[in-house]
Amino acid sequence: MGPPEPRQLFEEIYLAHYPAVSGYIARRTDSPDDTADVISETFTTAWRRLADIPPGEEARLWLYGVARRILANHYRAESRRTALAVRLRADLTRWAHSVAEREPDAARAAFARLSDDDRELLSLVGWEGLNTAEIAKVLGCSGGAARIRLHRARKRLAAELAAADLDLTRYGARAVALARERT
């Protein structure tokens, strides 16, 4: 009778040492998900390196060593993820505060710099939700004239927003295109 088949040998090692290895790992991880990940990776390594596993009780110690190295890698990766998350939160917080503090006031100021007629046209679209045909009726002009006036008002607003050095992509691709046209 020769040596056991690789699958049979792995199953014997797994069944004999899973409780001890899983306990070792569970006591060193913070969540069941992390525990499961490290156990899985430990026994995956054992399968790949089956020929390196010593016989008998030495196998348990070998598995502890593998688990220890995997845990160390896990902790390093977790530290990197945490540090990155902290940096990203700080960057996003700084960016969000600077934009939140500046953009609404700057956008209102850009809108206020427009003529009364431009503000009325843009308000009819933005606040009242009217289309150009409805705007034409409110203004008492043709639909074509309303479209042209609205287009020009949008261009002037986009130019004011661009002059205020605001991120026009927040206002849509149309704002970017209109600002490029400039009056």
Side-chain angles (χ1 to χ4, degrees):
M1 180 156 207
E5 291 293 318
R7 180 180 173 146
Q8 181 186 353
L9 177 60
F10 178 79
E11 286 175 357
E12 288 171 6
I13 291 169
Y14 182 85
L15 292 172
H17 302 293
Y18 178 84
V21 172
S22 64
Y24 174 88
I25 293 168
R27 287 186 289 277
R28 288 161 176 79
T29 54
D30 295 328
S31 76
D33 290 337
D34 291 344
T35 302
D37 288 346
V38 175
I39 290 169
S40 172
E41 201 169 334
T42 299
F43 282 103
T44 299
T45 301
W47 172 254
R48 281 195 318 265
R49 298 188 53 206
L50 197 55
D52 297 336
I53 300 176
E57 276 303 302
E58 291 290 313
R60 179 173 51 93
L61 302 177
W62 186 89
L63 288 167
Y64 283 168
V66 170
R68 183 174 174 274
R69 286 185 288 283
I70 291 170
L71 282 164
N73 289 339
H74 174 77
Y75 294 142
R76 279 192 298 275
E78 187 63 34
S79 293
R80 286 191 302 270
R81 279 191 298 274
T82 300
L84 177 61
V86 167
R87 279 195 320 269
L88 287 174
R89 269 190 222 99
D91 289 348
L92 290 173
T93 300
R94 276 193 303 276
W95 179 81
H97 285 306
S98 69
V99 169
E101 292 166 359
R102 192 174 67 103
E103 290 229 357
D105 292 337
R108 280 190 201 94
F111 185 75
R113 285 191 297 272
L114 296 174
S115 70
D116 289 341
D117 290 340
D118 284 349
R119 283 197 311 272
E120 179 62 18
L121 271 169
L122 295 170
S123 297
L124 288 172
V125 171
W127 294 342
E128 311 309 329
L130 301 183
N131 62 35
T132 52
E134 293 167 329
I135 291 171
K137 288 181 184 170
V138 171
L139 298 180
C141 65
S142 70
R147 272 191 301 282
I148 290 170
R149 289 178 188 176
L150 183 58
H151 177 74
R152 289 178 181 159
R154 284 177 172 153
K155 271 178 45 174
R156 287 188 280 272
L157 177 60
E160 289 291 338
L161 291 170
D165 198 30
L166 297 177
D167 179 13
L168 293 183
T169 58
R170 291 179 48 123
Y171 301 98
R174 179 186 254 176
V176 174
L178 287 171
R180 285 189 190 131
E181 284 181 25
R182 300 282 176 159
T183 325

